Amino acid sequence: MREGDSGRSQTGRGGRARGGRNASVDAPREVARDVLRAVRERDAYANLVLPALLRERKVSGRDAAFATELAYGACRSLGLLDAVIAACAGRSIDEIDGPLLDVLRLGVYQLLRTRVGAHAAVNTSVDLARSEIGSGRAGFVNAVLRRAAEREPDEWVRQLAPRDPLGHMAFEFAHPVWIAQAFADALGAEAGELRELLAADDERPAVHLVARPGAITAEELALVTGGEEGRWSPYAVYLDGGDPGALEPVREGLAGVQDEGSQLVALALTRAELLGPDAGRWLDLCAGPGGKAALLGALADIDGYRVDAVEPAEHRAELVRTATRDLPVTVHVADGRDSGLAPGYDRILVDAPCTGLGALRRRPEARWRRTPADVRELTTLQRELLTAAWDLLRPGGVVLYSTCSPHLPETVAVVSDAVRRTGAEQLDTRELLPGVTDIGAGPGAQLWPHRHGTDAMFMAALRKPL
């Protein structure tokens, strides 16, 4: 059963709202609408636009949480929402003006995927339309949303979803079919878990923190933040929600925001057995925005080692510098395929640019932007980066290749090609993740949202023969 609208802004109705905005529209919904607009008009990233809008409009607390749920949820659910809107409007999505479409997506999301009451979802959406477009076109919003409210979510799925099992699941959990197929292929013999995986990938993820080694323990971080220690990484802490940037340990650089799967990638590199001693010369070849470089730097610092971090874009290199301040990390603005660095590294991380299919929970609009055509260019880049890393690696050293994608062309295919061309010794990566269960048949390791609560990180460790 749906409940009443618990997300009503404290601005109330009548007069002018905070910041001089229209008080007939509550602030959380107005913020969410403007996020959808930025994503639609400018191909903006919701996770970058939303925090800035919340700060600018002084939206905080429950209002900020509600705006976040609406904005991210509507971005994630776009395919499902658009199908329902088209059915209720009797016209293609392409025939609906953008500003109206933003409001309709927000309204249908509230109707189908939140506990907001139908009356509140419809009326607040009409207010949004009227405040910007006028009463005439607000009537169209009212009519479409009232039709959408006539059926329960599962009825809309039954009516509009494709009949084949894969297409039906993809529609129900708001994924493009090609991504659902890529997940099924990567699951292989466990493809029966696809429904569970898609459901987990369609949920809002928990916030994961990383405790900086040598500065604070996960136990201490959990006590300070009210979080819970992670299951897999000794440095992970889970939070239910809130703004992690406002936490004192994060502000002071004792902790950062990082998915536990990404923490495991960095840890796996440091645990791999070398042939010969570790001289403490480590490299992060694809370092931006700096989360893994920071964890590697903190671990290196404990033993007096150093890390080089390569990032081709200056603005992202600056993010790496910020993330690794006070750590033994040197940032190089260069293309990882031609970094100009001297060979001889003991350990190299290649966390390669990828489709990001494994991190769709944290990048809500990404699933609707990526296409199969993106894969070929990315796999070429991935192979070139791995080749460059191999050339920089000393005999007996280890390179760890990882992607935040489980897509087989970006994972096992890239690694198999490297092994064939170089004669690399492929280590059993599962041994580098002690205690982590259900990570595949090896020698690579695959994490999953539905099994591990992490992004779907893939990793494979390759050792250079002496």
Side-chain angles (χ1 to χ4, degrees):
M1 295 294 291
R2 294 190 182 94
E3 294 178 352
D5 181 8
S6 60
R8 173 69 64 186
S9 166
Q10 297 170 4
T11 53
R13 307 180 70 87
R16 301 297 292 177
R18 291 172 294 192
R21 308 191 70 82
N22 193 325
S24 68
V25 176
D26 60 44
R29 290 181 172 89
E30 194 169 38
V31 167
R33 182 217 40 209
D34 291 347
V35 171
L36 296 187
R37 174 178 296 174
V39 169
R40 175 181 54 79
E41 291 184 346
R42 309 197 311 268
D43 282 340
Y45 295 97
N47 65 334
L48 299 180
V49 173
L50 177 64
L53 284 177
L54 293 175
R55 287 193 300 269
E56 173 190 326
R57 300 181 188 176
K58 297 180 172 55
V59 178
S60 60
R62 294 180 62 188
D63 280 357
F66 187 54
T68 301
E69 165 61 16
L70 293 182
Y72 288 177
C75 286
R76 278 197 307 269
S77 309
L78 212 60
L80 171 65
L81 303 181
D82 284 358
V84 173
I85 291 167
C88 294
R91 67 184 73 171
S92 166
I93 290 298
D94 296 335
E95 298 176 31
I96 300 175
D97 288 346
L100 280 177
L101 187 57
D102 298 333
V103 173
L104 287 170
R105 285 168 169 168
L106 197 57
V108 173
Y109 177 76
Q110 292 174 77
L111 289 169
L112 301 187
R113 292 199 151 199
T114 74
R115 296 170 68 85
V116 172
H119 179 76
V122 173
N123 284 357
T124 54
S125 298
V126 170
D127 285 345
L128 271 176
R130 184 183 293 119
S131 69
E132 183 177 20
I133 306 168
S135 298
R137 302 178 79 189
F140 172 72
V141 171
N142 182 62
V144 170
L145 293 183
R146 289 191 181 280
R147 292 190 191 106
E150 290 172 358
R151 290 184 173 87
E152 292 295 317
D154 57 345
E155 293 180 271
W156 280 119
V157 170
R158 284 197 298 271
Q159 177 179 331
L160 300 176
R163 297 301 166 216
D164 65 287
L166 181 74
H168 191 281
M169 276 191 284
F171 182 87
E172 180 179 358
F173 297 108
H175 284 71
V177 172
W178 78 273
I179 293 180
Q181 183 64 64
F183 286 172
D185 293 343
L187 284 167
E190 281 73 47
E193 298 178 13
L194 180 60
R195 183 180 183 83
E196 187 181 356
L197 167 56
L198 292 174
D201 205 46
D202 197 34
E203 294 176 356
R204 179 171 61 88
V207 175
H208 290 181
L209 299 180
V210 57
R212 177 182 284 189
I216 190 173
T217 67
E219 181 182 14
E220 291 167 339
L221 182 60
L223 287 172
V224 170
T225 61
E228 175 188 355
E229 291 183 64
R231 288 187 294 167
W232 315 115
S233 165
Y235 306 111
V237 169
Y238 308 151
L239 297 181
D240 286 337
D243 178 9
L247 298 172
E248 185 175 352
V250 175
R251 292 199 313 269
E252 294 183 355
L254 303 177
V257 179
Q258 186 177 47
D259 183 80
E260 190 174 19
S262 293
Q263 298 175 40
L264 292 174
V265 166
L267 289 170
L269 175 66
T270 67
R271 293 166 175 165
E273 183 179 356
L274 307 180
L275 299 177
D278 191 338
R281 191 167 177 234
W282 299 357
L283 171 62
D284 184 348
L285 197 62
C286 310
K292 297 181 185 69
L295 181 52
L296 288 173
L299 292 168
D301 194 31
I302 294 171
D303 292 317
Y305 297 164
R306 293 200 61 82
V307 178
D308 285 311
V310 173
E311 167 55 47
E314 173 56 41
H315 72 282
R316 285 172 61 85
E318 185 58 33
L319 295 176
V320 181
R321 294 187 193 103
T322 300
T324 60
R325 65 184 183 276
D326 303 324
L327 293 173
V329 177
T330 302
V331 180
H332 306 266
V333 181
D335 188 324
R337 293 169 292 184
D338 185 20
S339 65
L341 298 172
Y345 286 94
D346 299 282
R347 302 179 189 273
I348 302 177
L349 174 61
V350 180
D351 182 42
C354 66
T355 56
L357 302 190
L360 297 178
R361 304 175 306 157
R362 301 190 187 280
R363 300 166 189 167
E365 70 289 322
R367 68 188 67 186
W368 309 109
R369 287 184 176 167
R370 286 297 189 190
T371 71
D374 297 328
V375 177
R376 177 174 296 180
E377 181 178 352
L378 284 165
T379 54
T380 298
L381 174 61
Q382 290 156 1
R383 292 177 191 224
E384 291 172 347
L385 286 165
L386 188 50
T387 297
W390 190 254
D391 292 340
L392 292 169
L393 191 68
R394 72 160 175 84
V398 171
V399 59
L400 189 104
Y401 174 80
S402 67
T403 60
C404 56
S405 170
H407 197 18
L408 295 178
E410 302 181 82
T411 57
V412 294
V414 171
V415 173
S416 296
D417 176 70
V419 170
R420 177 185 58 80
R421 288 186 295 102
T422 65
E425 177 189 0
Q426 187 165 2
L427 305 181
D428 190 339
T429 312
R430 298 172 299 174
E431 296 178 0
L432 310 179
L433 303 172
V436 185
T437 57
D438 297 322
I439 49 179
Q446 179 65 63
L447 300 170
W448 292 106
H450 67 297
R451 293 182 188 172
H452 308 103
T454 68
D455 291 344
M457 301 295 300
F458 169 85
M459 62 194 91
L462 306 178
R463 188 164 60 197
K464 198 171 200 174
L466 294 173

